[in-house]
Amino acid sequence: QVQLVESGGGLVQAGGSLRLSCAASGRRFSRSTMGWFRRAPGKERDVVAVIDWSGVSTYYADSVKGRFTISRDNAKNTAYLQMNSLKPEDTAVYYCATSGSGWSIRSETYNYWGPGTQVTVSS
């Protein structure tokens, strides 16, 4: 069993930065691929970034490449999403999740989810 809790969301002006954290409980965290997803109002949940258990392999959605950075600290059971140059279209609820099927960018394969944290970017 893994429990996840996101933090770090908030209101920021366009061009600003936020750093999201995902604190995990359970020993499986260090062996799990982690993902950040987001759901904007009226839209489906989309993948934002994914990192493998070692932190070596990462994936970014095209919309965030060059602006967002995913990382993890297995010693602290925490994953991060550094978001720079934020745009109004980044406004969404952001979720972290652990994959039950190894490396994956498909949300259906993620079996544990946090409650989400709201990110609002004003223009």
Side-chain angles (χ1 to χ4, degrees):
Q1 190 87 11
V2 176
Q3 291 184 322
L4 305 171
V5 179
E6 304 92 343
S7 61
L11 173 63
V12 64
Q13 288 188 331
S17 298
L18 284 174
R19 188 194 196 202
L20 304 184
S21 297
C22 173
S25 65
R27 289 181 289 181
R28 293 186 62 181
F29 172 84
S30 62
R31 298 191 295 271
S32 299
T33 291
M34 295 291 301
W36 284 97
F37 298 80
R38 67 186 181 187
R39 187 193 299 273
K43 296 186 177 181
E44 295 187 355
R45 185 171 55 196
D46 291 327
V47 64
V48 175
V50 174
I51 188 167
D52 76 339
W53 69 272
S54 70
V56 172
S57 296
T58 58
Y59 165 88
Y60 296 95
D62 288 343
S63 58
V64 306
K65 278 182 183 176
R67 300 188 299 122
F68 289 12
T69 302
I70 189 172
S71 62
R72 67 190 297 163
D73 185 336
N74 287 340
K76 295 182 179 180
N77 268 18
T78 303
Y80 305 96
L81 185 67
Q82 177 67 44
M83 306 186 295
N84 298 329
S85 302
L86 283 161
K87 305 175 181 180
E89 50 264 44
D90 293 320
T91 295
V93 178
Y94 284 71
Y95 303 89
C96 65
T98 58
S99 171
S101 301
W103 178 261
S104 174
I105 65 171
R106 296 170 53 234
S107 63
E108 311 89 85
T109 63
Y110 283 71
N111 51 358
Y112 294 104
W113 293 81
T117 186
Q118 176 71 46
V119 171
T120 303
V121 185
S122 63
S123 57

